[in-house]
């Protein structure tokens, strides 16, 4: 992609807009959003507005905006059906010569709804008209709050959802840094596991990182936290440093 | 940090400027670089110019620029000595009321020289005058070249250096995605391991991602690649998808 390129007619861009703060958008993402004909913004069916729109609101200047509500359930069929319909719309608009940008909060490469739209588009559009623009992830923004590097020298980092605690337990023995996504409703169980392993004081949490007025920073986990927090909670466990061998 | 905040007198900022393309800099990083009094740019002792400077060159407008050469050897003492001296300079300039920004290529949270400077500053400056600004990492920029998400649903991702092949082999059995940094000089050995495990066709490589005129994209590893590539090579191995359980 050329530097500071405008969104091109007939092309689709999956664009990460960072965790929420409008100034954590990249210049490339900003330029594409500004020059898009159509912006698609995923909105959780539980949310009143798209978080991704908040991040790029200063860049809106008359582009068409479609906020599409998507299912939050872990249901493959409903998920793929919803994104298949959106892919049909993208293809139709691209054929009409529009430049289409899907914005997603954070990084479209990590646990993003972009994955489904990209998957659905792969059979519908030519690969050279589909583009992916990385964004600052919640992992990065959360770690930046504390000033400690996630990895240095020969450290290994595991990024995973806090869904299966047996797998979290394994990861805690195999890496120097473990980053857990989707922690919100599972906070109590996770805190229990970390307490049992004597790791509570090595774990930090950020909820709604870089989202104005909503950010919660917990610099050390304790066992008297609420049982659950917002869905967009990230826990970072720093187990040690491997150094150079 | 407030949106679009200027670099403040007496404060230090470790700022990630992304992989090299000037438009993969965030608006926050751009604003801090533009308003810094002093910019420190690490330069490998083997390089003729700092890669980080290339990324922010359009933002230079009279700020003082110090390119400091640092040891590339895996030598703890030499590394910490070099960054201790730089930390003394940062403290001196901050005490004089300057705003100091260290720029680093990629993400200061991943395998960055910022780690050493932050470590050295921790004993020399108040924590509330030290800031970390995330940047797009090589991992993200490399994966974006291929359009495949790094993680979706319940996938696990391991990020690690390709230094110890026994540990790489273990990681290949424990995650859905393995991202290997520092591959350059170890390409032949890594290719051998992947071939032995029947994983060559699941591995992609990008060298000098988003660095104009230098980027090399290998969408599928083969055993007839050069024995080594540039130090800044990233390999992504996509082992499968875990889905939702």
């Amino acid at each position: 992609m050329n530097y500071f390129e405008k969104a091109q007619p007939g092309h689709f861009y999956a664009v990460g807009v960072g965790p929420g703060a409008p100034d954590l958008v990249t210049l490339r993402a900003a330029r594409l959003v500004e020059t898009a004909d159509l912006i698609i913004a995923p909105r959780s069916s539980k949310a009143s507005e798209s978080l991704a729109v908040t991040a790029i609101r200063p860049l809106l200047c008359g582009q068409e905006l479609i906020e599409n509500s998507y299912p939050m359930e872990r249901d493959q069929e409903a998920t793929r059906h919803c994104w298949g319909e959106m892919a049909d719309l993208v293809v139709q608009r691209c054929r009409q010569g529009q430049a289409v940008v899907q914005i997603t909060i954070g990084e479209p490469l990590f646990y993003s709804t972009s994955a489904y739209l990209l998957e659905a588009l792969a059979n519908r559009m030519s690969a050279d008209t589909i583009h992916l623009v990385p964004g600052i992830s919640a992992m990065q923004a959360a770690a930046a709050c504390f000033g400690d590097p996630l990895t240095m020298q020969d450290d290994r980092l595991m990024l995973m959802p806090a869904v299966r605690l047996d797998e979290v337990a394994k990861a805690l023995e195999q890496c120097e840094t473990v980053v857990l996504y989707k922690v919100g409703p599972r906070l109590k169980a996770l805190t229990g596991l970390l307490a049992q392993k004597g790791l509570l004081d090595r774990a930090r949490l950020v909820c709604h990182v870089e989202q104005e007025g909503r950010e919660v920073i917990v610099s050390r986990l304790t066992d008297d936290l609420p049982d659950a927090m917002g869905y967009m909670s990230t826990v970072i466990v720093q187990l040690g440093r491997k150094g150079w061998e």
Side-chain angles (χ1 to χ4, degrees), chain A:
Chain A
M1 203 173 294
N2 292 328
Y3 298 155
F4 305 104
E5 192 183 278
K6 285 186 190 182
Q8 299 296 306
H11 286 243
F12 169 79
Y13 303 82
V15 173
V17 298
D23 67 344
L24 281 179
V25 174
T26 65
L27 298 168
R28 182 176 299 177
R31 181 79 172 138
L32 291 169
V33 166
E34 279 171 344
T35 59
D37 297 302
L38 170 62
I39 298 171
I40 297 164
R43 179 164 60 79
S44 146
S45 49
K46 294 177 184 161
S48 59
E49 61 157 12
S50 162
L51 284 168
V53 172
T54 314
I56 56 93
R57 192 167 292 285
L59 304 170
L60 291 179
C61 48
Q63 308 94 317
E64 184 184 359
L65 176 66
I66 298 181
E67 291 193 51
N68 75 307
S69 173
Y70 61 89
M72 280 287 282
E73 291 74 40
R74 292 163 69 89
D75 176 335
Q76 302 280 10
E77 203 179 325
T79 298
R80 293 208 152 81
H81 177 74
C82 159
W83 291 106
E85 286 186 345
M86 183 50 71
D88 290 336
L89 177 75
V90 170
V91 170
Q92 185 197 344
R93 295 303 191 87
C94 284
R95 283 205 187 122
Q96 291 167 6
Q98 292 197 349
V100 180
V101 165
Q102 183 199 30
I103 51 172
T104 48
I105 197 82
E107 166 54 274
L109 294 153
F110 294 150
Y111 308 108
S112 162
T113 56
S114 292
Y116 303 111
L117 187 50
L118 288 166
E119 191 178 72
L121 287 173
N123 305 320
R124 289 170 168 90
M125 278 174 71
S126 157
D128 58 6
T129 57
I130 299 175
H131 311 274
L132 215 157
V133 178
I136 301 294
S137 66
M139 164 168 66
Q140 294 163 279
C145 296
F146 304 113
D148 291 330
L150 284 164
T151 59
M152 54 189 296
Q153 299 183 337
D154 290 346
D155 288 346
R156 295 160 297 179
L157 175 145
M158 180 86 92
L159 171 65
M160 64 189 295
V163 173
R164 282 197 37 191
L165 283 191
D166 57 333
E167 291 179 352
V168 173
K170 244 194 268 177
L172 292 169
E173 287 166 13
Q174 291 159 348
C175 320
E176 285 63 51
T177 308
V178 176
V179 179
L180 299 162
Y181 269 24
K182 313 186 188 185
V183 168
R186 302 173 182 98
L187 182 59
K188 193 185 173 67
L190 178 65
T191 305
L193 172 70
L194 293 169
Q196 186 194 321
K197 290 189 166 278
L199 293 172
L200 269 187
D201 64 348
R202 294 180 171 272
R204 305 164 175 285
L205 177 148
V206 188
C207 182
H208 294 295
V209 63
E210 293 282 353
Q211 292 170 16
E212 201 181 7
R214 303 180 72 191
E215 190 179 67
V216 179
I217 299 177
V218 179
S219 62
R220 186 172 288 210
L221 284 197
T222 53
D223 44 21
D224 57 358
L225 288 170
D227 287 358
M229 293 194 86
Y231 181 75
M232 302 191 93
S233 295
T234 301
V235 163
I236 300 170
V237 191
Q238 176 60 60
L239 295 147
R241 294 291 181 195
K242 197 166 170 64
W244 281 319
E245 286 183 4

